[in-house]
Amino acid sequence: RTIAGRGDGEDDEHRATTMRMRETNGRMQRSARMDVGWRRRIRTRERRKEKRVAVAKVRGDGDGNQTVWRRDGNTNHAPGYGGTFALVMANAVMYALDHGIKWEMAKTMYLNHASWKWWQVVTSTFCHASWSHLSGNLFLLYIFGRLVEEEEGAFGVVMAYLICGAAASLASLVMLPRTSAQGFLGMGNAPVFSVGASGAVFGLFAVAVMVKMMKGFSFRKLLEAGILGQFVVEKLLGEVHMQANGGSLVAGASVNHIAHISGALAGVFLIFLLTRLPSDKDPSSTPSTAAP
């Protein structure tokens, strides 16, 4: 006999329906959990993007790109210190050509005080006498070049290097002797050569300090300018003191203190000159038009 109600067939159908409903509910729950996780990830990405945009707006760019402010109020994207890297690589490659593979033309790029060529005023700033000479200059070039490039861009740091280096070379030609009394076997005169990036690097010292001071009077800017300024002033006073006492020697070669001092002064003069140029937003630089 069977109990009144559902039979065995109905029980099997009921169990199958229940299992299908459970499977459907399970899939729906898993889908809901995945949907919640996906929405959470989307919200996280949106919050991160909002933070980047907020930081970029403080810097002056709403797209999240790093920007560099110019004196005339325009901005352009920072190139990742490409200018400083190019200068460092140029010095390193020149040293490898001169001291590594012994390229004969490298010596013609030295600044020959006795018989100088116009291109030597610039090319000598990429030549170095020894590895220690190169490494010391590259370290300071990397540090202060980046500081200048943060404010003035790749073109600014390259032009500051070239202008200050050329000014240091010209000052050396004017103020240093053309020959030394140490020719062959101590007889006659030997030509004096000047090499090294230190004159240009001292120019970047001055430029870095002055551009930091010109960017406003916030506590951070004042602190940066103070730290850099005391270092630059200390280096300059040391150069003046050593030059007044007859100079100094490093690895048997005379140190060109004149180039160091002249490069720094050229950097100061360069920034002073640029600040006197009219900017695009200066009302006095645009001609006024009368109403008809």
Side-chain angles (χ1 to χ4, degrees):
R1 296 183 304 174
T2 59
I3 302 175
R6 292 179 302 187
D8 294 339
E10 293 180 351
D11 290 340
D12 294 340
E13 183 179 357
H14 177 70
R15 284 193 295 268
T17 303
T18 303
M19 291 180 64
R20 286 196 297 270
M21 292 179 61
R22 289 178 178 176
E23 291 177 357
T24 303
N25 291 336
R27 286 195 297 269
M28 293 178 62
Q29 291 176 1
R30 287 194 298 270
S31 177
R33 287 195 297 268
M34 292 176 62
D35 192 28
V36 170
W38 179 252
R39 289 198 298 268
R40 186 182 297 113
R41 286 192 293 271
I42 292 177
R43 287 197 299 268
T44 302
R45 292 176 184 175
E46 290 178 350
R47 285 195 296 267
R48 290 176 180 174
K49 184 177 180 180
E50 290 175 356
K51 289 181 180 179
R52 288 195 299 268
V53 172
V55 173
K57 287 182 178 179
V58 174
R59 295 176 179 174
D61 186 357
D63 296 330
N65 297 318
Q66 184 181 0
T67 60
V68 179
W69 279 93
R70 296 289 187 264
R71 186 173 59 85
D72 56 4
N74 297 324
T75 61
N76 72 333
H77 302 298
Y81 305 111
T84 302
F85 180 75
L87 292 173
V88 169
M89 287 301 299
N91 280 272
V93 169
M94 192 64 221
Y95 181 84
L97 293 175
D98 187 7
H99 299 274
I101 66 175
K102 308 295 183 181
W103 186 40
E104 295 181 358
M105 292 294 295
K107 296 295 187 288
T108 63
M109 297 185 182
Y110 293 4
L111 182 61
N112 188 342
H113 290 234
S115 178
W116 64 281
K117 307 298 182 182
W118 64 267
W119 64 81
Q120 295 175 350
V121 173
V122 175
T123 58
S124 61
T125 63
F126 295 93
C127 303
H128 291 82
S130 64
W131 173 253
S132 60
H133 187 203
L134 173 71
S135 61
N137 281 340
L138 288 192
F139 174 77
L140 295 174
L141 171 60
Y142 180 76
I143 298 299
F144 283 87
R146 286 166 59 97
L147 293 174
V148 175
E149 191 165 358
E150 286 177 357
E151 304 293 344
E152 301 301 326
F155 180 78
V157 68
V158 172
M159 291 306 300
Y161 180 96
L162 296 177
I163 292 173
C164 295
S169 297
L170 292 174
S172 300
L173 288 173
V174 173
M175 303 183 67
L176 293 179
R178 298 193 174 191
T179 59
S180 64
Q182 310 214 349
F184 180 69
L185 298 178
M187 298 183 295
N189 294 328
V192 173
F193 294 91
S194 291
V195 292
S198 52
V201 171
F202 268 78
L204 294 180
F205 287 175
V207 172
V209 174
M210 296 194 68
V211 295
K212 290 293 182 182
M213 295 174 62
M214 291 168 51
K215 296 301 178 180
F217 292 96
S218 65
F219 176 76
R220 177 178 177 179
K221 294 297 182 182
L222 290 176
L223 182 61
E224 290 178 346
I227 293 174
L228 297 174
Q230 63 86 25
F231 173 81
V232 173
V233 170
E234 182 180 358
K235 294 288 289 185
L236 279 178
L237 291 179
E239 294 295 322
V240 172
H241 176 74
M242 286 185 285
Q243 180 63 33
N245 290 330
S248 60
L249 297 175
V250 174
S254 298
V255 178
N256 192 346
H257 301 290
I258 295 295
H260 300 172
I261 300 171
S262 302
L265 294 178
V268 173
F269 180 77
L270 176 63
I271 298 300
F272 178 80
L273 180 63
L274 291 177
T275 56
R276 293 299 182 270
L277 295 178
S279 63
D280 296 340
K281 292 188 177 183
D282 189 356
S284 62
S285 63
T286 57
S288 60
T289 57

